[in-house]
């Protein structure tokens, strides 16, 4: 009977040791890749959110040309050195214009097509981008005047590579009035 008890206890001991060794060896390979993945995702996925806030991103000037069938917005902006360095790591970020209610109601266009933002090069911190929108109906002269006036509400959206808004500048039409009076 002693031999059987000793044998049973010995077998239980061996099984328990074998299971703990299996657990340790199976956990080790999983831990190493997890650490490597965590390190690479932290380094590569620096978010652009909260990066387009002044003084990192400033709108210098805005020019608008409202035609009967087309709207052209020229946006002049400056990046900080920090945002310049960050954007050099990205391939895609976009600008879009959210249009005023009167424009949306008449044309059916709520937001412009996203325009890819320039990737900084040559230590240049100032850039310009054009956003064009066309539609089929002709705008009346009074609506064109209203859409190019101070009361129109154009919002600039900064989008990430998945076209998700990461920042919004409200009422950007004021940038052309402020800058003209300064000069």
């Amino acid at each position: 009977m002693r031999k059987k008890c000793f044998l049973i206890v010995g077998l239980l001991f061996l099984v328990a040791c074998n299971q703990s060794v299996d657990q340790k060896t199976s956990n080790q390979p999983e831990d190493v890749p997890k650490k490597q993945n965590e390190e690479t995702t932290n380094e590569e996925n620096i978010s652009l959110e909260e990066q387009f806030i002044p003084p990192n991103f400033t709108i210098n000037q805005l020019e608008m040309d409202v035609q009967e069938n087309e709207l052209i917005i020229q946006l002049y902006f400056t990046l900080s050195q920090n945002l310049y360095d960050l954007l050099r790591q990205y391939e895609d970020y976009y600008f879009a214009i959210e249009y005023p209610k009167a424009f949306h109601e008449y044309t059916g266009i709520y937001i412009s097509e996203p325009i890819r933002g320039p990737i900084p090069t040559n230590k240049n911190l100032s850039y310009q981008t054009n956003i064009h929108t066309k539609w089929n109906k002709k705008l009346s002269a009074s609506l064109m005047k209203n859409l190019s006036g101070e009361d129109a509400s154009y919002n600039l959206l900064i989008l990430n590579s998945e076209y998700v808004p990461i920042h919004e500048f409200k009422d950007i039409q004021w940038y052309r009035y402020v800058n003209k009076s300064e000069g």
Side-chain angles (χ1 to χ4, degrees), residues 66-161:
V66 181
Q67 304 287 323
E68 291 179 339
N69 296 81
E70 180 179 30
L71 172 64
I72 303 168
I73 295 178
Q74 293 179 331
L75 179 69
Y76 299 86
F77 60 93
T78 302
L79 309 173
S80 70
Q81 186 63 48
N82 290 339
L83 185 54
Y84 172 93
D85 294 337
L86 183 63
L87 289 176
R88 289 186 48 82
Q89 299 174 25
Y90 284 82
E91 291 184 14
D92 296 322
Y93 71 98
Y94 297 88
F95 296 111
I97 298 292
E98 185 178 38
Y99 292 115
K101 185 177 180 180
F103 182 87
H104 169 65
E105 288 174 349
Y106 190 79
T107 64
I109 302 170
Y110 178 72
I111 194 168
S112 71
E113 290 290 321
I115 303 297
R116 185 175 180 207
I119 301 301
T121 57
N122 300 328
K123 302 203 185 269
N124 187 11
L125 298 178
S126 295
Y127 294 90
Q128 182 247 333
T129 192
N130 296 325
I131 301 172
H132 295 261
T133 302
K134 293 184 179 187
W135 54 91
N136 293 330
K137 295 181 181 180
K138 289 188 177 187
L139 295 179
S140 66
S142 63
L143 185 54
M144 287 183 348
K145 183 178 179 184
N146 182 25
L147 290 174
S148 60
E150 295 177 28
D151 295 334
S153 181
Y154 293 87
N155 299 324
L156 173 67
L157 303 176
I158 311 292
L159 312 170
N160 66 13
S161 60

Side-chain angles (χ1 to χ4, degrees), residues 16-84:
C17 288
N18 192 24
Q19 286 179 346
S20 68
V21 169
D22 286 345
Q23 288 176 351
K24 286 181 183 175
T25 57
S26 66
N27 285 343
Q28 286 177 351
E30 291 176 17
D31 288 342
V32 172
K34 283 183 183 177
K35 287 180 183 175
Q36 288 175 348
N37 287 342
E38 288 172 7
E39 289 172 5
T40 55
T41 53
N42 287 342
E43 291 172 5
E44 292 175 4
N45 291 335
I46 300 171
S47 174
L48 286 178
E49 286 189 44
E50 305 298 323
Q51 298 300 321
F52 282 87
I53 297 173
N56 286 340
F57 180 86
T58 54
I59 299 172
N60 302 324
Q61 186 178 355
L62 179 79
E63 294 178 8
M64 291 176 30
D65 185 16
V66 181
Q67 304 287 323
E68 291 179 339
N69 296 81
E70 180 179 30
L71 172 64
I72 303 168
I73 295 178
Q74 293 179 331
L75 179 69
Y76 299 86
F77 60 93
T78 302
L79 309 173
S80 70
Q81 186 63 48
N82 290 339
L83 185 54
Y84 172 93

